[in-house]
Amino acid sequence: MTAAAAYNAYAQNNIQIESPEKLIEMLYEGIIRFCSQAQKAIEMGDIESRVYWTNRAVAVFVELINSLDADKGGEVAHYLEGLYNQQIKFLTECNVENSTEKIEIVIRVTRGLLEAWREVTAK
């Protein structure tokens, strides 16, 4: 078994164990981590890493959009879809402009979402 296959098996088992609430929390944490890495790459002038990390963050936002249920979530789901799409737009602009300003916005918004999510799920 290759290292990649072993990691994928571990990750798949870890995901199956976690609750849906915990998975959303992990996705928000991942976005923050990926954006921080992209920010460091911008500061170091590492274009390849910047693109890699921003693309990872975009992929997580896409996954969050795909997990929304408009029937159950109603206005909240609609609001979150728009918010997630705005963050994707900021990340795309970050790649084009090679600037940390937009990525800082994404980090700030995602931290707010994470805090709100933790409050809601703690009850």
Side-chain angles (χ1 to χ4, degrees):
M1 179 180 274
T2 67
Y7 173 77
N8 287 336
Y10 167 78
Q12 201 60 280
N13 287 333
N14 195 25
I15 287 173
Q16 292 171 356
I17 294 169
E18 300 296 342
S19 68
E21 293 81 13
K22 181 64 177 170
L23 289 176
I24 298 296
E25 183 176 331
M26 291 168 63
L27 290 172
Y28 286 146
E29 289 169 345
I31 291 169
I32 294 167
R33 190 172 54 254
F34 298 153
C35 287
S36 295
Q37 291 294 329
Q39 202 170 28
K40 287 178 189 171
I42 291 168
E43 292 165 359
M44 294 174 46
D46 186 349
I47 296 168
E48 185 177 342
S49 291
R50 179 200 71 216
V51 171
Y52 174 79
W53 292 113
T54 55
N55 285 345
R56 298 269 317 256
V58 166
V60 176
F61 277 119
V62 169
E63 186 61 35
L64 285 167
I65 290 169
N66 290 336
S67 72
L68 292 172
D69 186 348
D71 294 334
K72 291 182 183 178
E75 288 182 34
V76 173
H78 180 71
Y79 172 80
L80 286 173
E81 182 178 4
L83 185 64
Y84 295 158
N85 279 313
Q86 181 65 43
Q87 303 318 298
I88 291 170
K89 180 181 176 223
F90 285 147
L91 289 167
T92 303
E93 290 171 357
C94 164
N95 264 337
V96 171
E97 299 168 3
N98 196 35
S99 169
T100 61
E101 290 176 31
K102 302 287 171 105
I103 212 154
E104 289 171 6
I105 294 169
V106 175
I107 291 171
R108 191 170 48 247
V109 167
T110 307
R111 280 190 180 135
L113 288 167
L114 178 58
E115 289 173 20
W117 183 255
R118 286 177 176 161
E119 277 184 40
V120 169
T121 57
K123 296 177 180 180

